[in-house]
Amino acid sequence: LVSFITYRVFLIINSFSLTNFIAVFGVFSNSLNIVVYLKLGLRESTNINFLALGIVDWLVCVCSCLVVVSHLNEISPYGDSIKYLDIHVSSFILFPCMGMGAWIIVLLSAERCLCIVVPLKVKTIITRRRIICLISGMAVYETVFGFFMMTFVDSPESTNRIRQLLIFSCMSVPVFVCFILVLFFTIFMVIRLRQTLEWRTTTATQSTKTSGAKERKVVLSVLWICIMFIVCFTPFVIYFVTAIVLPRFTLWDPYYGWFVQTTWTFNFLFQTISSASNIFVYFFVSTKFRKVLKSVLMC
């Protein structure tokens, strides 16, 4: 369906050029995100989510750089020593981190929806301890499958079915489920946010208007992150559904193989964009983040 030459063209453009550049930027930007949210403090559950998302996105960007480097074996005669680097990095770290990132975005969007629906009860429903437990639980789940990858996947070429099953459990299903939830929560936020803000504008006092403006900025931050997640993970969801409907749609199929490899260059590109671009949302929406970031950069 796609020749090796065509695949190599997309590999050079998408992976070596675009993904590598964006991933390097993402390592730097997420390092700043982590520092800023540590300085802002973790008294609010939203900051805990943003900090956890920054750590996961940092790992995704680092792994994306390593995956790109591993593809040197396809264009360089001296790349045999890193032939399986992408498989091991993706299986043990990158795929679990993608599942973790999707789960954290679900927590962010669910929390903001609760703030809109039950603003007076949200602090009793969403607490710091519960958020930490939910994030830690997903981290344990992903770590277990990463351990299974290290234990059972010794030869990447002879254990394709085991790898597919483990990847299916640690990334494909969690990301797909989280994608559907985030899509639902995002649509709900867009509809209810406008209604709630219109009601508060007409009935609130000056002090509540100020607090409403602060809450609106937080909702906008979460909303833009959710939109970027939906846009950037749509190619992966399309690939996942296609693989379910068409079982032959795998990396090892003689007809679809190079086409699937080509689609993965786009998947990695968009997922790296999603992980590296959150700093722009924080900077343009959050006044506190912008002030702390400027002070960090001045130092």
Side-chain angles (χ1 to χ4, degrees):
L1 190 63
V2 168
S3 67
F4 173 73
I5 300 299
T6 304
Y7 159 69
R8 205 159 86 163
V9 170
F10 282 103
L11 179 68
I12 294 172
I13 295 174
N14 290 344
S15 297
F16 287 105
S17 300
L18 299 177
T19 301
N20 198 30
F21 174 78
I22 295 171
V24 171
F25 171 77
V27 172
F28 175 73
S29 64
N30 283 294
S31 299
L32 290 175
N33 292 341
I34 294 170
V35 172
V36 170
Y37 278 107
L38 285 175
K39 285 183 172 292
L40 286 173
L42 304 179
R43 289 177 295 179
E44 299 180 3
S45 58
T46 303
N47 286 357
I48 297 174
N49 279 319
F50 283 144
L51 176 63
L53 184 62
I55 295 172
V56 171
D57 285 342
W58 186 87
L59 290 172
V60 169
C61 290
V62 171
C63 291
S64 296
C65 293
L66 296 177
V67 169
V68 169
V69 170
S70 69
H71 285 298
L72 286 172
N73 74 87
E74 299 181 22
I75 63 172
S76 171
Y78 306 102
D80 290 338
S81 59
I82 55 173
K83 183 177 181 180
Y84 295 129
L85 180 62
D86 64 328
I87 295 176
H88 295 303
V89 169
S90 299
S91 301
F92 306 153
I93 305 175
L94 181 59
F95 292 157
C97 285
M98 287 181 179
M100 271 291 299
W103 175 245
I104 294 169
I105 293 175
V106 168
L107 294 180
L108 280 167
S109 57
E111 180 184 0
R112 288 304 102 190
C113 286
L114 287 174
C115 288
I116 296 173
V117 177
V118 284
L120 301 179
K121 298 181 180 180
V122 67
K123 290 188 178 295
T124 60
I125 299 174
I126 304 294
T127 62
R128 293 174 65 240
R129 179 176 296 180
R130 290 176 181 174
I131 289 294
I132 293 173
C133 289
L134 288 171
I135 294 175
S136 301
M138 192 61 179
V140 171
Y141 174 86
E142 296 292 347
T143 302
V144 167
F145 280 98
F147 175 78
F148 286 159
M149 289 278 193
M150 296 175 65
T151 305
F152 297 112
V153 182
D154 297 325
S155 175
E157 294 178 343
S158 61
T159 55
N160 292 335
R161 291 185 179 180
I162 298 177
R163 288 189 69 253
Q164 283 181 314
L165 179 61
L166 292 175
I167 292 172
F168 189 81
S169 301
C170 79
M171 185 190 73
S172 299
V173 172
V175 169
F176 180 75
V177 173
C178 291
F179 181 89
I180 300 300
L181 291 174
V182 171
L183 183 63
F184 170 77
F185 288 142
T186 301
I187 294 173
F188 180 80
M189 275 192 289
V190 170
I191 295 173
R192 289 299 300 268
L193 178 62
R194 177 170 296 183
Q195 297 174 352
T196 304
L197 289 177
E198 288 178 355
W199 176 79
R200 285 183 177 179
T201 302
T202 56
T203 61
T205 61
Q206 184 63 35
S207 60
T208 55
K209 285 182 180 180
T210 303
S211 62
K214 294 179 180 178
E215 182 181 338
R216 180 174 177 271
K217 291 182 178 180
V218 177
V219 175
L220 285 176
S221 298
V222 176
L223 190 59
W224 278 112
I225 290 173
C226 291
I227 291 173
M228 287 192 301
F229 173 81
I230 292 170
V231 172
C232 293
F233 275 78
T234 296
F236 171 80
V237 172
I238 294 173
Y239 168 81
F240 175 75
V241 174
T242 305
I244 295 296
V245 176
L246 188 64
R248 286 185 55 195
F249 196 74
T250 64
L251 300 173
W252 306 278
D253 186 82
Y255 183 71
Y256 294 105
W258 292 122
F259 177 71
V260 175
Q261 293 270 27
T262 304
T263 61
W264 268 108
T265 64
F266 285 96
N267 285 338
F268 277 119
L269 173 61
F270 280 96
Q271 289 160 10
T272 306
I273 292 173
S274 176
S275 298
S277 56
N278 289 340
I279 191 171
F280 297 110
V281 177
Y282 304 148
F283 184 83
F284 288 109
V285 176
S286 174
T287 305
K288 289 183 178 179
F289 181 90
R290 190 161 54 244
K291 289 180 179 178
V292 176
L293 178 63
K294 287 180 179 180
S295 66
V296 170
L297 291 177
M298 287 295 291
C299 293

